[in-house]
Amino acid sequence: MSNKLSIVCPMFKVTEFLPELIDSLITGANNKEVEVIFVDDACPDGSGEKCFQLLANSLGKILFSHEIITLCENQGLSGARNAGLAKATGDYVGFIDSDDVISSEYYSTIKNIIMDEEFDILEYGYSEFIVFPPILTNRNEIRITDELSPFHNGFFAWSRIFNRSFIAKSYFPAGVLYEDVPFVMSAYAKANKIFRTNSELVGYRQRDGAITSTRTSTYSSLVKNFIAGYFDSYASFDNPIATGDQVIKSVFITLLKGSKIKIKTDRNLFYKLSLPELTKAKGIRMSRKSKLLLFFCFGLCFIGIRS
């Protein structure tokens, strides 16, 4: 039986969270049509060994095929995901971070859509949690999107699955923070058929030390990726002006959130690093309303540098 879905799961310093992840996979993706590819990104805490042990202990009830890839050197999230992608054999590919969990209805929801339709991208909902995995809702409302979907529910690669043949030549850029942004934006720029379900299929853990929960001056990388992603992909969008409007809006929101960086000198640096990116943004095709919003973006930077 061929694999319908491959799930790529990078691992790095996640030993304590692996039991909940694997329990959720056994509950929500326990099907012979699923393969799970775990990537041990040269973990110093023995995450790879822990994963092997947990899988071995549950071997009698696991139906999905699984493999653990061990990288000799730490390659970061991008490198680990790319290594998993290279091994994937499913018709579709999804991602899950090793400190998160999937819904008990994860694969059954996806399979119902796969059986009826062929698509480039399917996006779905998620719910954030801190300590205990959330109760994820399953409304299974499906519709073809006619909006600029990358901006609908965040740029997380794990909140979508992709037709593997569609992303066959795609990869996550190495050495880039917030690497999901360029990957997802590029995919949406090329996609012909996108589906969205309102079902929450992933529980997204918020924890101290995670890049998305601790903002520093490196948060400026998100501003850079939004703007660079536009120039890399805008020509492929049907309406580049609408794309530009969404990019400027996202940049504005990011700059507002940057004001929450706790250390003053680091907050100042965030705005200093963002300012040159805004200069590049002047070349974005946008509406008059967004041009005004870009003006406010410059204002936020100047205030943030001096405050």
Side-chain angles (χ1 to χ4, degrees):
M1 180 181 295
S2 63
N3 295 314
K4 293 290 185 183
L5 176 66
S6 299
I7 303 173
V8 175
C9 177
M11 297 182 295
F12 187 74
K13 295 183 179 179
V14 291
T15 304
E16 63 183 297
F17 306 117
L18 282 174
E20 287 181 346
L21 167 67
I22 291 177
D23 283 347
S24 75
L25 288 169
I26 293 173
T27 302
N30 205 22
N31 193 293
K32 293 181 180 178
E33 298 175 344
V34 176
E35 70 171 357
V36 183
I37 302 170
F38 299 93
V39 184
D40 179 350
D41 192 17
C43 299
D45 66 342
S47 293
E49 292 84 352
K50 180 69 172 180
C51 180
F52 179 84
Q53 178 185 0
L54 290 167
L55 292 169
N57 291 344
S58 300
L59 201 56
K61 56 184 175 182
I62 292 178
L63 297 178
F64 56 79
S65 62
H66 51 275
E67 178 181 2
I68 300 176
I69 301 172
T70 302
L71 303 182
C72 296
E73 296 181 358
N74 178 260
Q75 297 184 23
L77 186 57
S78 289
R81 282 176 171 170
N82 290 336
L85 270 176
K87 285 281 188 177
T89 63
D91 299 324
Y92 293 88
V93 181
F95 302 89
I96 186 70
D97 287 350
S98 46
D99 55 348
D100 295 337
V101 295
I102 65 168
S103 161
S104 60
E105 306 293 330
Y106 180 87
Y107 185 61
S108 61
T109 300
I110 291 171
K111 183 177 179 179
N112 287 338
I113 303 169
I114 291 174
M115 289 175 63
D116 293 335
E117 300 285 349
E118 183 172 339
F119 53 84
D120 296 322
I121 303 171
L122 166 68
E123 62 179 43
Y124 40 79
Y126 61 90
S127 182
E128 297 180 359
F129 72 102
I130 297 176
V131 180
F132 299 105
I135 297 175
L136 301 170
T137 61
N138 189 282
R139 288 171 286 179
N140 209 23
E141 300 169 10
I142 309 295
R143 64 187 181 93
I144 300 175
T145 64
D146 56 1
E147 304 169 11
L148 190 58
S149 303
F151 301 89
H152 175 72
N153 66 341
F155 280 81
F156 303 114
W158 47 254
S159 63
R160 300 157 169 92
I161 67 167
F162 303 84
N163 188 308
R164 189 167 65 90
S165 62
F166 167 68
I167 60 166
K169 296 182 180 180
S170 299
Y171 61 92
F172 291 88
V176 175
L177 294 175
Y178 305 101
E179 59 285 305
D180 291 38
V181 174
F183 181 88
V184 173
M185 185 177 284
S186 174
Y188 274 85
K190 298 181 292 185
N192 292 315
K193 197 168 188 179
I194 304 168
F195 277 80
R196 176 185 300 151
T197 173
N198 290 325
S199 295
E200 296 175 349
L201 299 186
V202 169
Y204 174 35
R205 190 188 302 269
Q206 296 291 303
R207 61 186 177 98
D208 293 339
I211 189 172
T212 52
S213 64
T214 307
R215 294 194 183 105
T216 67
S217 57
T218 59
Y219 197 46
S220 60
S221 295
L222 188 54
V223 174
K224 179 179 181 178
N225 286 353
F226 279 132
I227 295 169
Y230 171 86
F231 289 114
D232 289 342
S233 306
Y234 80 94
S236 299
F237 281 107
D238 292 335
N239 190 338
I241 292 179
T243 307
D245 288 347
Q246 291 281 13
V247 167
I248 297 303
K249 179 180 177 182
S250 297
V251 167
F252 180 71
I253 292 171
T254 303
L255 292 173
L256 285 175
K257 291 180 177 179
S259 66
K260 302 296 183 181
I261 296 174
K262 294 180 180 180
I263 301 174
K264 180 181 177 181
T265 54
D266 204 38
R267 186 170 63 249
N268 295 156
L269 180 58
F270 161 75
Y271 287 109
K272 287 180 181 178
L273 293 172
S274 298
L275 190 57
E277 304 305 323
L278 291 185
T279 302
K280 299 175 186 176
K282 290 180 179 180
I284 290 177
R285 295 179 63 186
M286 67 187 87
S287 66
R288 298 176 74 177
K289 182 178 179 180
S290 291
K291 289 179 180 179
L292 179 61
L293 191 59
L294 179 59
F295 174 79
F296 283 114
C297 287
F298 275 102
L300 285 173
C301 279
F302 288 128
I303 292 171
I305 291 170
R306 291 175 171 81
S307 64

